[in-house]
Amino acid sequence: MASLWRKHQQRLRQAASLHRYSTKNPSFSCTAFAIVVLAAAASLWLYLHTTAGARISQFQARDAGDPTLSNVDLGVESGNAVARRGDQGCDYSRGRWVYDPQRQALYNESCVDIFKGWNCVRNQRSNAGSVLRWRWQPDRCDLARLDPAKLLENLQGKNIGFVGDSLNRNMYASLVCTLKQAASKDFKKWRPIGSDKGITFLGYNVTVAYHRTNLLARYGEWKASADGGPLEEHGYKQGYRVDVDIPQSTWSEAPQFYDILVISTGHWWFAPEKFNPVTSPMLFFENGKPIVPPKSPREGLDLTLKYMLSFAEQNMKPGGIKFLRTQSPRHFDGGDWYQGGKCHRSGPLKLAEVEEMFSPANKGVNKEVRLVNEHLFRAASASSTFRLLNITHLSEFRADGHPSTSAKKQHEDCMHWCLPGVTDTWNEILGALILEESVTGVL
């Protein structure tokens, strides 16, 4: 590259010399002068093109060794569907956990919106206090603590909706408990159409609500007809009908109401105890007709995401902000939840432990997180308006942050998160992105 630059400088000097000569000698050929100038311009183009290519190659090589990264995850242009970075070039999804003994929770265990199984302080999980002392430090910036008063002021007259399975309820409860710290008692329960939970902050005219949906798409039990049909011809007798192009009724009216929508799906798509591929398979329908030959759950997930994101885009309020949240990791050791899996960790995992637990190549029980993300990244890349809320990598470290035995269930809970806990960091990132949109005038 240095030699290219030297050649370009040499051609510039030649052009300047010829220009001086031509002004003193009118008989000098203008054509010769033009040829040299064009050669100098060509050398400049070659230099810029080569150095730009080298910078791209260096960028790709730097991250080539990390199996969790994709173009979307790195923030490479793909419409608006990038692992959203701050205006200063910060990627909130990449960083490290730092222990801070002075760090306090954004709210306490008295918040009534915490599902009792997730209240690790009240349930006396042994490390419930230390879970709160870890702070996420992004690589290239600082992540500010969520200021509930500032966020509510910026949200005046606007609504936030969480759509998805119980992990989005986990996130909803975290945000509501935080915002209540700035609202005194000036709030009331109010559920928009189809929602499972909802709170309105009266002084700000802001509603935050949660809509339960496991697959995003409508689904229900299916049984073979005595009259036969395409699925019966393939030997199917029962299963679950999934209409990939029809949203579940619990959230079908949600996009029209919310200014900010956070959508997620994933865990239920890889749940053999629910959708057993032999005894109760997923059977996908499109335009009211069964898709034959039948598709796999992974193919069905891609189709569903395509239709559901398109549905949200077509029905969202003008100017509304849409996030697709990436998959939340589970941390089962020694087997899946129905196989006696446990999560007795007392602190964050090391990077090598993260790779061992989550790399699909190891075929462990927690591999679903990265498999699901492949589909989510693809869907977000195909969208011009959805943005990824990438919480996966930071959460993969936090095997210590689950209720475990303190949930007092028949099995250990190594999927949901203690509240207060890791999910508060998800909302700090969400809050930072919302405030950035407020500054740029989108909100």
Side-chain angles (χ1 to χ4, degrees):
M1 285 186 285
S3 61
L4 285 172
W5 178 248
R6 284 194 294 272
K7 289 180 180 178
H8 170 64
Q9 293 288 334
Q10 182 180 4
R11 288 192 173 102
L12 287 178
R13 286 193 294 271
Q14 290 173 347
S17 176
L18 287 171
H19 175 69
R20 287 192 298 271
Y21 182 80
S22 64
T23 56
K24 295 178 181 179
N25 300 272
S27 61
F28 182 77
S29 172
C30 293
T31 302
F33 174 72
I35 290 173
V36 176
V37 170
L38 286 173
S43 71
L44 177 60
W45 177 88
L46 179 62
Y47 170 76
L48 292 174
H49 180 74
T50 304
T51 54
R55 285 194 295 272
I56 292 172
S57 298
Q58 290 169 358
F59 181 75
Q60 292 171 336
R62 184 192 69 197
D63 292 297
D66 189 338
T68 70
L69 299 181
S70 68
N71 280 349
V72 176
D73 195 32
L74 289 168
V76 175
E77 291 289 339
S78 181
N80 287 331
V82 299
R84 181 60 192 268
R85 297 179 294 183
D87 290 341
Q88 289 74 43
C90 176
D91 180 354
Y92 294 116
S93 69
R94 314 303 299 180
R96 65 191 186 282
W97 288 99
V98 177
Y99 188 73
D100 181 357
Q102 306 302 317
R103 188 174 176 84
Q104 299 297 317
L106 293 167
Y107 52 92
N108 61 40
E109 70 277 10
S110 67
C111 180
V112 297
D113 298 281
I114 302 174
F115 177 67
K116 63 181 181 180
W118 306 336
N119 199 326
C120 296
V121 174
R122 183 162 286 178
N123 294 337
Q124 299 182 330
R125 193 197 193 302
S126 59
N127 71 329
S130 64
V131 165
L132 310 176
R133 306 290 179 254
W134 292 92
R135 172 178 58 82
W136 180 248
Q137 176 60 58
D139 285 338
R140 298 174 184 172
C141 67
D142 290 324
L143 176 61
R145 297 230 72 181
L146 199 157
D147 182 336
K150 184 177 181 181
L151 184 58
L152 282 170
E153 288 167 4
N154 279 272
L155 286 173
Q156 290 236 21
K158 297 181 171 60
N159 306 312
I160 303 179
F162 292 90
V163 172
D165 59 27
S166 55
L167 273 300
N168 252 16
R169 179 183 171 183
N170 205 241
M171 190 175 181
Y172 156 83
S174 163
L175 182 60
V176 165
C177 289
T178 301
L179 295 179
K180 281 185 174 182
Q181 305 310 301
S184 183
K185 294 185 178 181
D186 193 23
F187 52 81
K188 69 173 182 178
K189 291 183 179 180
W190 184 74
R191 295 190 299 166
I193 295 174
S195 64
D196 192 59
K197 304 284 181 182
I199 296 287
T200 296
F201 296 89
L202 301 173
Y204 300 91
N205 191 26
V206 170
T207 294
V208 182
Y210 161 67
H211 296 252
R212 170 88 188 210
T213 173
N214 297 326
L215 305 179
L216 295 180
R218 184 179 73 182
Y219 75 98
E221 291 186 6
W222 175 89
K223 292 188 181 299
S225 169
D227 298 328
L231 292 175
E232 288 84 350
E233 291 174 5
H234 281 77
Y236 290 98
K237 297 181 179 180
Q238 62 184 19
Y240 283 89
R241 169 175 173 162
V242 181
D243 288 278
V244 298
D245 51 351
I246 302 176
Q248 191 169 354
S249 61
T250 55
W251 76 282
S252 59
E253 297 188 42
Q256 304 169 40
F257 179 73
Y258 296 105
D259 302 274
I260 299 166
L261 197 63
V262 181
I263 290 179
S264 73
T265 190
H267 288 292
W268 285 71
W269 289 88
F270 295 86
E273 70 282 359
K274 175 67 175 179
F275 301 111
N276 187 289
V278 176
T279 61
S280 55
M282 288 179 163
L283 302 170
F284 299 102
F285 283 64
E286 187 177 20
N287 296 320
K289 298 179 180 180
I291 300 175
V292 289
K295 292 186 176 294
S296 69
R298 295 193 69 168
E299 293 172 315
L301 175 56
D302 281 334
L303 263 179
T304 298
L305 286 169
K306 182 188 79 169
Y307 278 113
M308 295 303 101
L309 268 59
S310 176
F311 169 79
E313 287 174 334
Q314 293 172 16
N315 292 277
M316 191 78 176
K317 276 185 174 184
I321 302 172
K322 299 170 288 296
F323 291 101
L324 181 62
R325 178 180 61 72
T326 61
Q327 184 75 338
S328 172
R330 311 178 313 154
H331 290 88
F332 286 99
D333 283 318
D336 214 321
W337 67 268
Y338 55 90
Q339 299 169 326
K342 305 180 185 303
C343 48
H344 294 172
R345 309 280 184 147
S346 58
L349 300 177
K350 296 178 180 178
L351 183 58
E353 294 175 309
V354 166
E355 291 307 308
E356 181 181 357
M357 180 170 279
F358 295 108
S359 173
N362 294 334
K363 299 181 179 180
V365 297
N366 304 294
K367 64 181 181 297
E368 73 162 40
V369 62
R370 296 186 183 180
L371 295 177
V372 170
N373 272 357
E374 291 177 13
H375 299 271
L376 300 180
F377 290 156
R378 213 163 27 238
S381 296
S383 168
S384 61
T385 62
F386 263 89
R387 302 158 191 188
L388 276 176
L389 180 60
N390 195 341
I391 53 81
T392 300
H393 184 63
L394 68 92
S395 305
E396 285 181 336
F397 290 94
R398 297 306 304 276
D400 59 318
H402 300 286
S404 186
T405 56
S406 72
K408 298 179 173 62
K409 300 169 72 172
Q410 293 181 341
H411 57 83
E412 291 199 25
D413 188 349
C414 304
M415 180 169 69
H416 301 99
W417 300 94
C418 294
L419 293 179
V422 173
T423 319
D424 302 331
T425 299
W426 302 1
N427 279 316
E428 286 183 328
I429 294 174
L430 176 64
L433 297 178
I434 290 173
L435 290 175
E436 287 173 9
E437 299 293 359
S438 178
V439 168
T440 57
V442 174
L443 277 177

